[in-house]
Structure formats: C-alpha cells, structure tokens
Amino acid sequence: MSVFLSMRQIRKEFPGVVALNNVDLQLELGKVTALVGENGAGKSTLIKIIAGVYSPDSGEIEVDGVKTRISKSKDAMQLGINVIYQELNIFNKLTIAENIFMGREKRKGLFIDTKYYLKKTAELLHTIGLNMDPGTKMRDLSAAQKQMVEVARALAFNAKVIIMDEPTSSLTDTETGILLELIKKLRQNNVGILYVSHRMDEIMEIADQVVVLRDGERVGLLEREELSLNKIISMMVGREVSDIFTPRGSGIGDVVLEVRNLSSGFVRDVSFSLRRGEILGFSGLVGAGRSEIMRALFGMDRRDAGSVCVFIDGKKIPIHSAADALRSRIGFLPEDRKEQGLVLKMNVMKNISLAALKAIRKRVFIDRKKERELAQSHIRALGIRTPSESQVVRNLSGGNQQKVVIAKWMSTDPQILILDEPTRGIDVGAKKEIYDLMNQLASQGVALIFISSELPEILGMSDRIVVMHEGTVKGEMSGTEATQEKIMRMAIAN
C-alpha cells in the first residue's frame, strides 16, 4: 500500500464558523478509509477541498508525493481523484454509455465513435460486475445500479481514489450489499476509497481505518484491529452514548386519530388508530406505501376512499385536507426535508415560524419580535447549532436542518406528529437527540407516528408497530412482542 493523497494542517473558515481546524488526512491505494463525524463536524467541507470545490485557507496537499493545488473539480479528476456525491450526477434520459463518456466522446472525423465507447463501457461494466447493455437508459436502472455506473465513470477517468459520500442512504439492504461488495473489489484492484457514512455497520464491515472528525478537528484515527462501535461513537460525540433507546413510562391514553379503509393510489384499504402519548411505528420495505399513506392522511395527496378523523375533547372531527389537518394540530415531517420540509434559501427564524404565522401575527402584519422569540426558544429547546436565528438554513448540517423542521411543527403545539424517516442521513449523536425528543413529546401526551427503514430504531422506539407490504397493512404487533424476524416475515409476505 502507498500513500496517494496527503493533506496536512488543513484549515477552512466561513463567516462565523471554523469548518476545519488543522486537519490531517492520508489516503492509501488499496485501502478503505472511513470518514465519520457528527453533522457539522467538517466532513463535507473536507471532501469539497479534495474535490477542488473549496480552496483551503491554509495547509498543504500532496498527490503522489508532489505538492499540489486543487483549484477546481477538473484538477482533481486529472489527478485521479473522483467524488461520487449523495445526489448522483446522472442524466436519466441518456444511456449508460452516454452518461459515462459525456464530454469525452472519441470521434471519427466529424462523428462520434459510438462503437468505441459502447465497447469501452461494456468493459468497464464487466470490471465492476454490472452485466448490462451499455445502451440501457439510466431511468431503467435501480438506485444501486446508478451508483455502480458512477463508479464506472470514475474508473473511466482513471481514478486512483474514489470518494463516496453517503452512497447507501437511498439503497435497500440488498442494494447496499451489492455496493459494499463492489468496494471490496475496488480495494483489491488497488483503488483507494474514502467512504463517508453514518451507518456504523457498513463502516465496521469494510473500513481498513477510520478517521474521526469533531467540531472541525480530527480527534482520532483507528486502524482495523482497533475498531469498535463504542469507540467510534464516543470519539464522534465526545462522550459515551449508552442506552441510545431510553425506555419510557406507560402514559398511553385515549384514541386521538382513527384511519378507516383509506386508499390512495396503490395504497389500499389501510386502517389503524393512534393513542395519546403513543409512538406508533410504521415498518416495511422501501416502496411499501408508508409515506404515501401519511401524505393521504394529512391531505397532501388525493384519497380514493376511506376516512380520517381526530378526536378533540371527545368530539370526532373529520380531516379532508391539509388545512383541516393543521387546524386539528397535526404536524408532518416529510421524508425529504430539503425538498418538502424546508425553504433552504430562507433563514432559521422564518422556517420555524412558517407553520405558526397565526400565533405571531399582529393584525395583518408579522410581529417580528414574537417571531424572533419563537425561533430562539426552539433553538434553545432543541439545541439547534446555528450562529443565530438569521442563519440561512442551507448552511446548517443535516441534523440541524432536521431539528429546524421539528421546531417548525413544535411551534404549532401539535397533538399528533408524523415523523417520516426523521433520522435519515444524520449522525448517531443527532439521532440520540431526536429519539430523546420523541420520548419527551410522547411523555407530554403528543401522539407520534414514526416511519423508519431501520429496524433497530423501529424496535427501540415504538410502543406498537404496523407493518406494510405493497400498499397494504400486513400486520400489527406490540413493541414488546416484535422482533426483526417477525417484522421482515410480514414485510416480504405475499
């Protein structure tokens, strides 16, 4: 093994924050280095410096033993460094071959040498174990296959090092397994991998070493033989994270929500109830219809049949629209926080107050003092890490963005809160904070619906679990009787 990329004393500041403070990193060929840390620890900034998106304020970078300045993405690719970002850079209407060789087509006179790049694409796909026709449209590929095409494109650029940023965040367990096997194959072929993920089980499986960042500083380097889950987590958060799922008392009350025979699109005949102070988990494979039924319940999507009612002071009130849901104090944290939960160009204060404009209105105007006080109170209560309430939301880490979405709905004083994948893409420390907040809300009498693709957190957090399969409810069980095996048996049953 040999060091290909060496970064020493890298520092990067943005207005009001030191993103990286004297960070060292070495990447070796034929080795998988995992980069871990809480949201806001500096991982994305470090990746963007390697990729040439940002320039460091100070520090040195060497590539293959030569001191180098990476000023733009093209520089990084020419040096043999390729980044595969969480949001894939693909064109669904084009073929696999066209995506791989876009902008680098080989020509015969005035014409593109289609035969050449189809042959070359077939060779690349064979190398990574993806046996597909190079002329296949990208839209016909699964999420994992699209990831693999990105890897093939990197190899077409003669990549010596491939950086993968949360590559499995939108993959199923089976697809994740395929990608991890490809990473092991790349390692055998002497490609260096920098692997960024919040999923500790993946890191424990493939990492040769783990570099830990905290608050913009490198706080540890663990070699393969030193790796342990507790050690990684305690380095990340600066403390031991024990009993991540804290048990609650049994304060479950009367029914506050009743769904009967609800159908919407491919979701059919779904019925369930929800009680005050209860955490009701929804499990199932990706595409089972969990998010779709919540959107229909809330009134965001059209219903084909069925009814939704809430109970307020013993009175049964039907919910026909999102406006009805809001009036009945139902909050909804959607799966995609960036597209559906936040206005990224707006600041923290305005995002938090969006759902509570009535409470801060002064006649026909917004009371700016009340708005600021509302935002500051939730920033304190949820521990949102932001320089101020005036910070633009897109500049926050993923975990803190998620807390802003929660704060937005907390400002409405909800009696029912729907949480769709609230811990996706955030670190273990932020996950623990969200679990604690969910328990706190439940103990205060808020009823929660909790959707998650991670079985350990469904089992650890839910009082009751509903399992869905292909748009229908396949079964229900209490949290005490549930096991991963029982849930999976229902989730895959025909």
Side-chain angles (χ1 to χ4, degrees), residues 38-39 215 239 348 352 374-388 396-404 406-407 410 427 429-430 433-434 436-437 440:
E38 293 190 87
N39 291 103
D215 297 329
R239 65 187 189 279
V348 172
I352 290 175
L374 177 75
Q376 289 174 343
S377 68
H378 286 296
I379 289 168
R380 287 193 299 271
L382 299 183
I384 300 171
R385 294 177 191 169
T386 176
S388 76
L396 301 184
S397 67
N400 285 298
Q401 287 180 355
Q402 190 69 296
K403 288 183 186 178
V404 172
I406 294 172
M410 290 303 299
D427 61 78
E433 291 174 351
I434 287 177
D436 289 345
L437 176 62
Q440 179 187 333

Side-chain angles (χ1 to χ4, degrees), residues 65 200 310 493:
M200 293 295 117
V310 296

Side-chain angles (χ1 to χ4, degrees), residues 6 22 122 171 212 297 407:
S6 180
N22 299 331
L171 303 187
V212 186
L297 182 163

Side-chain angles (χ1 to χ4, degrees), residues 13 31 44 94 119 123 132 174 227-228 235 244 273 310 320 420-421 425 430:
E13 292 186 44
K31 199 168 190 177
S44 294
L94 300 183
K119 179 175 179 291
E123 292 171 359
M132 299 194 75
T174 301
L227 294 185
S228 79
M235 279 185 174
I244 192 165
S273 61
V310 296
H320 299 296
D420 192 353
E421 301 283 6

Side-chain angles (χ1 to χ4, degrees), residues 11-28:
R11 182 177 175 87
K12 182 66 178 177
E13 292 186 44
F14 296 104
V17 63
V18 178
L20 295 171
N21 185 29
N22 299 331
V23 170
D24 293 348
L25 178 70
Q26 289 189 330
L27 300 181
E28 297 180 25

Side-chain angles (χ1 to χ4, degrees), residues 346-357 359-360 366-391 393 396 400 403-412:
M346 288 169 53
N347 65 29
V348 172
M349 178 177 70
K350 292 190 182 302
N351 270 278
I352 290 175
S353 66
L354 268 177
L357 295 178
I360 59 172
I366 300 297
D367 186 327
R368 297 302 176 190
K369 184 182 177 186
K370 276 188 179 179
E371 185 180 30
R372 183 162 278 102
E373 288 172 351
L374 177 75
Q376 289 174 343
S377 68
H378 286 296
I379 289 168
R380 287 193 299 271
L382 299 183
I384 300 171
R385 294 177 191 169
T386 176
S388 76
E389 70 277 2
S390 300
Q391 175 67 276
V393 164
L396 301 184
N400 285 298
K403 288 183 186 178
V404 172
V405 185
I406 294 172
K408 178 176 78 173
W409 290 109
M410 290 303 299
S411 68
T412 67

Side-chain angles (χ1 to χ4, degrees), residues 200-212:
M200 293 295 117
D201 54 337
E202 297 170 13
I203 285 167
M204 296 298 291
E205 179 177 345
I206 64 170
D208 297 302
Q209 62 178 19
V210 175
V211 173
V212 186

